[in-house]
Amino acid sequence: MIIKKYIVNDMKEALIRAKYELGKDAVIIHQRKIKEGKWYNPFKTTKLEVTLAIEEDKDNIKDPKEAKDPKETIQNKDIYGKNNMENTNISKEKDIKTNILFKDANEELKEKLLSYCKLKSLDVNSLTSEDIKDFLNIGYKDNCFKEKLSLGKLNVMVGPTGVGKTTTIAKIAAKEYLENNKKVGLITLDTYKIGAVEQMRTYAEILDIDYEVVTEPNEMINKINKLSHCDILLIDTLGTSQRNKEKLQDIWEYLKDIKEDINTYLVLSISTDRETTLSIMDKYKQLEYDALILTKFDEVSSFTNVWNIMEHTDLPVEYFCHGQSVPDDIEIANIDNLIEYSKEVYSYD
């Protein structure tokens, strides 16, 4: 196999160069935006780095020095030999029709997936779990399903209102207490939402585990010390819009003076639209989250947002949540569990 990397202004230029040098059967296996120029240059230009591959056939490979100026070559053709990009999009919709994992994915991911399938001579609608993992490892080398952030002593859940932080904490607490025999303690800072304290107290009483409420930032260290005998502390925070800078700062005031290591998980609902999700991921960075938890799988008909999230973070996704049942509706976030869940819900083989 011959693999070549191009740094170009746009995808059209990459496709033209690739077809001239590698032939019409070259396929895209990876693409990303990069900044070109010296590290100290504030006006670095944005370029596209595109990696293409073709099964080795030296007779068809041309010397790149002989390549013509892309402006002088035929435009609006892609690597599949279609006459225009509109035909390519029609082909994608036709090709990815029964694979529930990818049928509503964004165009960039579809492009990579179809290129991968062409390179490997695979049917996009009959991919095995191993095929999908191989695709993600090639197209998204540092994808968020590979690494995991193990629960530590202190674990904080942050995220918008209504994404399921409190229920997620209850699920994790129940699993750790019942299945792993851990001493678990719960702390809530969420005294804003009506019923939040009572909900957390109810979970603590059912599991017969310790529980504390923090009403002011200066109480935080004392409450943690009161639960120092626990193996795991799960800390619930108030939900707030990513646009509410004041409330985000309030949450930080509770956490900033903690000297022990903290694992902070951003809890996201995959039923949230793409732009809002990306905005949440960006604005919540001020709380220095280390990993993600994805909820509300039971409320969506596709996995579009899973892939949107994957393409915009290298941080690990720790759990998938798919219902209100405690502790059953939570899974370790990996591709095998995602595939099994999709098969169970959408009833396909």
Side-chain angles (χ1 to χ4, degrees), residues 257-316:
D257 294 327
I258 299 174
K259 303 303 181 185
E260 299 178 62
D261 291 337
I262 303 175
N263 288 347
T264 301
Y265 298 89
L266 175 61
V267 183
L268 294 171
S269 165
I270 65 166
S271 64
T272 306
D273 67 86
R274 177 181 181 274
E275 295 306 318
T276 303
T277 297
L278 298 184
S279 174
I280 293 167
M281 292 170 65
D282 179 52
K283 301 302 183 184
Y284 266 82
K285 285 179 181 176
Q286 75 178 78
L287 298 182
E288 300 181 358
Y289 61 89
D290 307 289
L292 306 173
I293 296 174
L294 306 184
T295 65
K296 312 275 183 157
F297 274 75
D298 54 313
E299 297 183 7
V300 298
S301 58
S302 75
F303 297 94
T304 306
N305 234 6
V306 175
W307 309 123
N308 289 332
I309 290 167
M310 182 191 70
E311 290 186 336
H312 288 86
T313 185
D314 294 332
L315 295 176

Side-chain angles (χ1 to χ4, degrees), residues 155 157 165-166 169 185-193 195-201 210-216 219-220 223 227 233-239 254:
N155 306 275
M157 307 292 161
K165 293 188 296 299
T166 305
I169 283 177
L186 304 181
I187 295 176
T188 184
L189 319 180
D190 190 1
T191 57
Y192 288 79
K193 186 175 69 177
V197 172
E198 289 73 16
Q199 183 182 14
M200 186 67 82
R201 180 182 293 116
D210 291 326
Y211 161 73
E212 294 289 339
V213 179
V214 179
T215 58
E216 297 291 339
E219 299 176 356
M220 193 71 189
K223 298 292 187 179
L227 298 178
L233 291 181
L234 298 169
I235 302 173
D236 197 10
T237 61
L238 62 104
Y254 282 90

